[in-house]
Amino acid sequence: MTTTSPVEKAGASTATYVDQRLGSNKFLSRNLGKVFPDHWSFMLGEIALYSFIVVLLTGVYLTLFFKPSMVEVVYNGSYVPLKGIEMSEAYASTLNISFDVRGGMLIRQMHHWAALIFVASMSVHMFRVFFTGAFRKPREFNWIIGVVLVTLGLGAGFTGYSLPDDLLSGTGLQIIRGIVQSIPVIGTWGAFLLFGGEFPGTDIIPRLYSLHILVIPGLILAMVTLHLMMVFTQKHTQFPGPGRTNDNVVGYPLMPVYMAKAGGFFFIVFGIIALIGGLVTINPIWIFGPFTPDQVSAGSQPDWYIGFLEGALRMMPNWETNLAGFTLSWNILIPAVIMPGILFTALGAYPFIEAWVTGDKREHHLLDRPRNAPTRTGLGVMSISFYLLLFVGGGNDIIADAFDLSINGITWFLRIALFVIPPLMFVFTRRICLGLQRRDRDKLLHGYETGRVLRLPHGEFIEAHEPLSIKDMAVITSKTDIAPLPVPPKADIDGVKNKQFRKQNLRSKLSHFFYGENIPLPSAAEIEAGQAHVAHDAALEAPLASYEDADELRQFHGGVLHHPGMPETNAEQLADRKE
Amino acid sequence: MKFLAARRRNPLVAIGLLLFALIAVGGGYAAIANVQPAQASVGSQTQVEEGKRLYLAGCSSCHGMEAQGTETGPTLIGVGAAAVNFQVATGRMPLAAPGAQAVPKDPTYTEEQIAALAAYVASLAPGPAIPTAEDLDFSDADVAQGGVLFRTNCAQCHQAAGQGGALTQGKYAPNLMGSTPQQIWEAMATGPQSMPVFSTATLPAGDKQAIMAYITNLQTASSPGGLDLGRLGPVTEGLFLFTAVFAALIAAAIWIGMKAR
């Protein structure tokens, strides 16, 4: 060591002191240099992490003042329109946080906004992972952890939404009770168990409180830790590009680049949450009033992430079956229990289903471009459109009121659309993906269209094509074509019946469904020939591609890309070519 | 006195005196005449006749020649002056177009004409009268109690913040943010359109005043939490989240990702 500055000396001796006790230097030097690939969409998960941190910090502050009690008190705080009204202590303490605790309103609103952002960013992050195929081997477990995290996020959100014991949250709890009751056989018992007796009782708020501040955040923290550790050990996936393969990671080291980027992004997320927490009202409980079971407000909605369940409930026809004196409430059971059950199971199982269907056992560290997996992309868009239609249904009354529509008309439209639009979206999306694949193939064989129309000396007009840049070439040729599984034989050559035929046949059919429509990548020789041809043409006209790769100053002039020193006019170009 | 004495024979004096007399008589008459409308709700005979004339011209095609009601309009016998005043003064009647329910617009009739129509309909059978100034005085009412009454009786259609809400088949409970105390009273007393009647037996005058106080408070209160997003609850909050907040977050992510190039 040749350091002379006292600061560096102090730092070095501290590091040595700590290292001698923890062995941390080796760990840090190994991990701080870890390389992460760069893309904006890889930061969606970070938004989730940072908003969760904000939720934790603000939540701690709120626990200092919130009283999870359903004891009836008479409000005597500073919000006049509720003065002298009987309410639960939970509601009164939330009013106090809002109006009488210093900074309470800001923290409460930050907590709620951050919670909404937490679930929203998890969802959008999940879309990214799905459409790029990042859930494939070896990351299936991490996908499941992600699904668990989303579910826990919904649970954390809903328990928090219910805690203030205002009119809106009480209405939500009443619906939850109805949902529990709709479960056959155990429903009624379950509802009594959950609420400790009749609705609303005095137990539910303290119970939700311990779930909200202890159980669920604990589980989320554990899952987040696992999630991040797996990202760390499995390394992050990357988009295809020059020099990026399935066996490397191209990007920047954690220290200092990602520490700075991620640290900076944390403060941006924190700042945005603080800004809207201070400027934009969320959940104005003082307007909704304290919960009593005989009151309800028009336009009662859950927070956005429960909106799809609300929509499903609102859309469902009123079906009931009376079975030997017991009522089966299909009108609640199907939309609120069976549908989300299927949705989340399918979500968690998707990586395994796709792996089985495609027979793909390879490890994937290079991401798919969504167009190169048209069936998966189609299924994703189909599911999102299904979800969005349910989501719209959750706000049908607000939409009806805002746009002067009939609520019955909206409901009927959605009931039909729910079965018509998602399959159409699947077909459209797959077509669009295949169209994009065709375009890629075209680029490989004929170069890219520059948009420059040139007039040749003998009068002919042509559009100049140019060879692809190294980057485009690497991205487009990252596609791998996989043949669908063959149709299995019914019997082998000796006439022995294939006992697995039905299963194998199903798998083959699904595999054809998945891979059947595909625009194959041209062979390497074809690509080379195509690019060489384009390059030849381009070289004839004007050697622009090389300038472009050199990334020098270019001017756009009269439809022709010019480079300093290049001929300006047609006459000059012709003279140039004759040389 | 010298000043006046010297000029009393000036020719302009006659004109001045004449003007003074005219203004005194005209102004005096106008001051007395202005008192009249306050007593108009009682309904003088001439008012009833004027009201009947207006009724036959403008309303009878749907409500019937004798206000007995037809297939296209309900009977007006017994609806009272309050119902007429509410429907006509808010422009709901005459109906602009057939639809799920009458839509408010600028009133078609003048105040005197509305008073005449109300007097005519009130003369057919007893019904809720137009509220007096005393009825509408809610200065002593308990706002908080009004809030409880509002949430119990009104919020399930008009929404907890009085922003209105959807009813079946395109009908709706209107937004109350522009409603005057008189309109609120009349609506409660007469139950226009899909609204139930909150008679004096259901909601005594004191309760009605408390509700008016609460609605007025909702109309005038500032939003303690900042921008109120229309006070519509989670739907507009979600919309704001995905349009504004998420756009900002993703723009920041793209910006940070972009710097790498």
Side-chain angles (χ1 to χ4, degrees), chain A residues 55-69:
Chain A
V55 169
L56 283 183
L57 293 176
T58 51
V60 168
Y61 187 78
L62 294 176
T63 56
L64 303 179
F65 305 102
F66 179 71
K67 299 193 183 85
S69 148

Side-chain angles (χ1 to χ4, degrees), chain A residues 38-40 43-44 47 79-85 99 105 109 112-113 116-117 120-122 124 161 167-168 252 261 264-265 268-269 272 276-284 286-290 292 294-304 391 394-398 400-401 404-409 471, chain B residues 142-175 214 217-218 221-229 231-242 244-246 248-261:
Chain A
D38 215 6
H39 193 265
W40 69 266
M43 294 183 162
L44 295 168
I47 301 178
Y79 186 68
V80 176
L82 285 170
K83 232 175 186 151
I85 302 295
F99 295 107
M105 178 80 92
Q109 295 197 147
H112 204 138
W113 278 120
L116 295 195
I117 293 170
S121 49
M122 278 198 290
V124 180
Y161 171 92
L167 192 50
L168 206 55
Y252 294 92
K261 280 191 177 217
F265 196 39
I268 290 177
V269 173
I272 289 176
I276 53 171
L279 295 180
V280 188
T281 311
I282 186 162
N283 198 18
W286 52 90
I287 285 182
F288 300 128
T292 62
D294 61 342
Q295 293 176 354
V296 71
S297 167
S300 289
Q301 256 90 12
D303 277 340
W304 78 266
F391 188 58
N396 60 359
D397 51 347
I398 304 283
D401 202 38
D404 282 337
L405 296 168
S406 157
I407 195 169
N408 306 59
K471 181 169 181 273
Chain B
D142 181 352
V143 175
Q145 201 53 43
V148 174
L149 288 164
F150 183 83
R151 286 188 290 275
T152 309
N153 296 291
C154 318
Q156 61 264 56
C157 298
H158 290 286
Q159 198 252 7
Q163 299 297 318
L167 303 174
T168 55
Q169 308 290 1
K171 297 195 283 281
Y172 63 93
N175 184 319
Y214 185 71
N217 180 273
L218 283 176
S222 62
S223 171
L227 197 67
D228 66 11
L229 299 178
R231 289 189 191 161
L232 284 171
V235 172
T236 42
E237 288 161 10
L239 193 67
F240 178 76
L241 173 77
F242 278 100
V245 181
F246 235 69
L249 286 170
I250 288 183
I254 290 175
W255 177 63
I256 291 177
M258 210 161 61
K259 291 281 164 183
R261 290 202 191 136

Side-chain angles (χ1 to χ4, degrees), chain A residues 425-452:
Chain A
M425 294 305 284
F426 173 76
V427 174
F428 291 160
T429 308
R430 200 150 81 148
R431 282 290 122 198
I432 291 169
C433 286
L434 290 169
L436 288 169
Q437 282 191 20
R438 256 186 216 104
R439 186 184 158 77
D440 283 349
R441 188 187 155 87
D442 221 49
K443 277 187 186 170
L444 291 177
L445 293 179
H446 306 293
Y448 77 90
E449 298 168 354
T450 57
R452 282 184 296 122

Side-chain angles (χ1 to χ4, degrees), chain A residues 318-340:
Chain A
N318 194 17
W319 293 345
E320 281 182 359
T321 311
N322 200 307
L323 208 73
F326 294 98
T327 305
L328 275 176
S329 294
W330 302 113
N331 47 4
I332 302 173
L333 191 64
I334 292 176
V337 181
I338 295 175
M339 189 277 296

